[in-house]
Amino acid sequence: MTPSSRYALATGVSLATVLFLLFGIGALGIVGDGDRDAVYLAAPVVALVVAASTRFRPRGMVLALGAAAVTTVLAGAVAIGMVATDDVAASVADVVMLTVMYAALFAAAAWLFSRVRASGA
């Protein structure tokens, strides 16, 4: 694969992860009804801010998506606190599973961008 095609693949995985997160929040909800799922929106915002500040270069995208994965885990910790202390429709196990899934998808996208950098781009 060329560096351009690797970058395109990594970008596609990144965008698909964000869309999957948005659809998951909108259609199903992670934490339950209401606006409690908004904590998970911090991850795409962090990714966008870091990516823009690093001019969308592969090394910066690794940092951006790594930061999005960490932010997703932090949002999951906040969500677990909401589920544990409030009567919401979600279970702690569901929140943990979904948080791990989204964080892993962001981490996979970061890994793909690291492969772009390793190939000389």
Side-chain angles (χ1 to χ4, degrees):
M1 289 181 82
T2 66
S4 296
S5 62
R6 287 178 191 240
Y7 191 94
L9 174 65
T11 301
V13 170
S14 303
L15 293 175
T17 300
V18 171
L19 287 175
F20 187 43
L21 175 65
L22 294 175
F23 288 143
I25 289 171
L28 306 172
I30 297 172
V31 184
D33 295 334
D35 59 352
R36 293 180 174 139
D37 294 325
V39 296
Y40 284 95
L41 297 178
V45 170
V46 166
L48 183 61
V49 167
V50 174
S53 68
T54 60
R55 300 183 197 165
F56 298 94
R57 292 192 175 121
R59 175 177 271 171
M61 294 302 290
V62 171
L63 294 173
L65 292 161
V70 170
T71 304
T72 302
V73 171
L74 293 174
V78 170
I80 289 170
M82 285 189 272
V83 169
T85 61
D86 199 7
D87 276 342
V88 294
S91 72
V92 172
D94 290 341
V95 172
V96 169
M97 178 197 66
L98 291 169
T99 299
V100 168
M101 178 188 66
Y102 288 122
L105 288 170
F106 280 122
W111 178 80
L112 287 170
F113 273 109
S114 75
R115 303 306 305 154
V116 172
R117 188 181 61 170
S119 67

